[in-house]
Amino acid sequence: MNSSVLLIEDEAADAELMKIVFAEEAPDVTIIPRADGEMGLQYLQHAMPDLIILDLNLPLVSGKEVLQRLKKDSKFASIPVLIFSSSVSAADIDECTRLGAVAYMQKPLSLRETHDMVRQMLIYL
């Protein structure tokens, strides 16, 4: 079964690392990269990914706003959202958890940590 992951990440290096690690750990998973919150929301108008990996600090529409919109919409509320952000703020972590994120991973991650994170995410696919 082919699964899809919407990766909303504005840092090209982080997005590329995630795509490479997914290709190694789960080659049957399709990664759909989007560089800002608005592009991510536009993608969701015509597709339903199995998992969303979401950065918080995004241009146009913030990751928190994307998360709030997703969890308020019954069509998308059941899609697991993993926050992948450089923010170490306890308030950000608490708010994302309260809004419905299934996990919060802090950047930067080493290559090994990224592999471990991807393996953990596969339970949602």
Side-chain angles (χ1 to χ4, degrees), residues 21-82:
V21 172
F22 262 99
E24 292 172 358
E25 292 291 336
D28 61 332
V29 173
T30 302
I31 303 297
I32 301 103
R34 294 296 182 264
D36 62 57
E38 183 63 36
M39 290 172 60
L41 291 169
Q42 287 174 0
Y43 173 80
L44 290 167
Q45 291 177 4
H46 61 80
M48 185 71 77
D50 299 294
L51 173 68
I52 298 171
I53 301 171
L54 179 62
D55 188 8
L56 289 184
N57 302 313
L58 295 168
L60 302 180
V61 178
S62 75
K64 284 184 191 175
E65 177 67 21
V66 171
L67 180 60
Q68 286 175 325
R69 290 187 195 182
L70 291 173
K71 295 306 177 179
K72 286 182 182 177
D73 188 328
S74 62
K75 179 178 177 186
F76 304 112
S78 65
I79 299 174
V81 178
L82 178 130

Side-chain angles (χ1 to χ4, degrees), residues 17 21 106-117:
L17 175 62
V21 172
Q106 293 175 343
K107 299 188 239 178
L109 296 176
S110 69
L111 183 58
R112 180 183 176 102
E113 290 170 324
T114 304
H115 275 275
D116 291 345
M117 182 183 80

